[in-house]
Amino acid sequence: EVQLLESGGALVQPGGSLRLSCAASGFTFIYSAMSWVRQAPGKGLEWVSGIDNTGDRTYYADSVKGRFTISRDNSENTLYLQMSNLRDEDTAVYYCAKLRSGVVVAATNYWGQGTLVTVSS
Amino acid sequence: DIQMTQSPSSLSASVGDRVTITCRASQGISNYLAWYHQKPGKVPKLLIYAASTLQSGVPSRFSGSGSGTDFTLTISSLQPEDVATYYCQKYNSAPLTFGGGTKVEIK
């Protein structure tokens, strides 16, 4: 059974930093591209970032480019999202997502339960 | 960047009705289009990928069609458990943009 367990969400002040983690199990992690998708309270889904199966290629939404960094540790089956210079509008539930392929140009077939990031003073 | 526009933003239909949701891309994306639904309080779930391929385990009343810029998700006979918000997503290239969502309710 595929499991994606996010952690690291917290209340943080504007301008602060946070690192999210996603522990993956139940599938061969090194074969799958991964992404982060967020959902602000009461709003729709927003794709944030993606990484291919090797970690060589990374992609970002314009709204987070230069502030967020996606990475993965294939030896630990873990996905990360380093977030810095956080803004109020980054407040959202952040979902870890497994893609159907080793490349980012693929649909998402599994989602974690999400971790809440709240940016507020 | 390519924009994804869904319509309608919400709809109300009766059990057993045929429901159609559309998704339009601002530029052609071939068939790199997925549909998800998100039930209240739950995480999203993949319904269809490659515009028309049903994900394993998804009921056959769901179907997708389209290519290029115009896509459709159809529920052939709406069931109470289909109450959810439906999203399209393009994945031909980053950013993997979602549509704004369509909220489906039972009349």
Side-chain angles (χ1 to χ4, degrees), chain A:
Chain A
E1 179 192 5
V2 171
Q3 291 195 2
L4 300 170
L5 185 60
E6 301 97 336
S7 60
L11 170 64
V12 61
Q13 292 189 338
S17 299
L18 208 57
R19 187 175 86 156
L20 306 183
S21 300
C22 171
S25 61
F27 65 101
T28 306
F29 187 67
I30 197 169
Y31 288 170
S32 291
M34 303 290 294
S35 67
W36 289 96
V37 176
R38 69 184 180 185
Q39 188 167 35
K43 301 298 184 182
L45 301 172
E46 181 186 10
W47 179 83
V48 173
S49 181
I51 187 167
D52 72 357
N53 62 322
T54 65
D56 288 343
R57 294 178 183 267
T58 60
Y59 306 86
Y60 299 93
D62 285 346
S63 58
V64 306
K65 201 172 293 182
R67 300 187 299 122
F68 290 11
T69 302
I70 191 171
S71 62
R72 62 191 293 160
D73 184 337
N74 284 345
S75 67
E76 295 289 336
N77 290 355
T78 303
L79 176 72
Y80 299 101
L81 186 68
Q82 178 68 47
M83 305 185 293
S84 62
N85 192 18
L86 283 160
R87 306 168 180 169
D88 290 352
E89 56 264 34
D90 296 319
T91 294
V93 172
Y94 285 72
Y95 294 106
C96 169
K98 172 191 174 299
L99 305 186
R100 292 189 68 253
S101 168
V103 295
V104 171
V105 287
T108 298
N109 56 355
Y110 290 96
W111 304 70
Q113 291 301 307
T115 187
L116 177 62
V117 173
T118 303
V119 184
S120 175
S121 54

Side-chain angles (χ1 to χ4, degrees), chain B residues 17-107:
Chain B
D17 281 355
R18 184 181 183 89
V19 169
T20 299
I21 298 168
T22 63
C23 179
R24 175 164 289 176
S26 59
Q27 299 175 39
I29 59 170
S30 184
N31 68 336
Y32 292 89
L33 193 283
W35 290 98
Y36 307 87
H37 72 186
Q38 185 178 29
K39 297 183 179 182
K42 302 296 186 183
V43 302
K45 177 185 175 181
L46 177 64
L47 300 173
I48 286 169
Y49 61 94
S52 61
T53 302
L54 199 66
Q55 170 70 356
S56 176
V58 173
S60 59
R61 64 181 179 273
F62 292 94
S63 64
S65 65
S67 183
T69 60
D70 294 309
F71 302 87
T72 300
L73 173 71
T74 299
I75 309 172
S76 61
S77 177
L78 187 68
Q79 300 301 304
E81 59 266 31
D82 299 334
V83 168
T85 300
Y86 290 76
Y87 296 93
C88 63
Q89 183 195 30
K90 69 96 169 171
Y91 57 88
N92 63 312
S93 63
L96 308 189
T97 310
F98 288 91
T102 297
K103 188 173 184 179
V104 174
E105 298 177 322
I106 299 292
K107 191 181 294 182

